[in-house]
Amino acid sequence: MELLVLAAAAGGAVGLGGTYAIMRYRSSDTRASKQAHEAAQEREPPVKVGSTYEFGVTEFSTHHSGDRVAVGKVEGFVLFVEDIPGGLSTGDVIRAKVLSFNEGRTSADATFVESV
């Protein structure tokens, strides 16, 4: 019986330690994301409205419109690309024209021009 109680206590301690590690990791990840966002707000965007840029697709999102958009970065600056073709995949290199900045100028909306 004592062995069972000790095993349960050890299992609980391991579970709490794991939970603490996960929460600490998430907190660190959240903190890094917030710092990157704040840094982006303080600098001028490396892109201009009306200009075309070439970059790799890092992921897909539904962003503001609810439609599927490609996400990529130019010098660390996030672009959300609309009007993408159906066969586009993560890692594909595309060209997109910047249409507008978001309110804080930390990202921009763009439209698909072509696959490279």
Side-chain angles (χ1 to χ4, degrees):
M1 181 70 167
E2 289 177 15
L3 186 58
L4 183 59
V5 170
L6 286 173
V14 169
L16 286 175
T19 301
Y20 174 76
I22 290 170
M23 295 301 289
R24 186 170 169 91
Y25 172 77
R26 285 185 183 159
S27 175
S28 173
D29 192 40
T30 301
R31 189 171 31 256
S33 177
K34 183 178 179 186
Q35 288 171 342
H37 180 74
E38 289 170 353
Q41 288 179 317
E42 294 174 3
R43 72 173 183 154
E44 281 298 311
V47 300
K48 294 182 181 178
V49 172
S51 294
T52 302
Y53 298 90
E54 186 175 305
F55 53 92
V57 175
T58 57
E59 64 182 295
F60 293 92
S61 172
T62 55
H63 193 44
H64 299 301
S65 68
D67 295 330
R68 185 174 185 245
V69 297
V71 181
K73 292 184 179 184
V74 172
E75 296 180 31
F77 188 81
V78 177
L79 295 177
F80 295 96
V81 183
E82 302 169 343
D83 303 323
I84 56 173
L88 201 60
S89 300
T90 301
D92 287 351
V93 177
I94 62 172
R95 279 196 188 98
K97 182 177 180 180
V98 176
L99 301 174
S100 64
F101 293 109
N102 73 357
E103 187 176 323
R105 295 176 58 94
T106 57
S107 65
D109 291 326
T111 189
F112 178 83
V113 173
E114 65 182 332
S115 292
V116 180

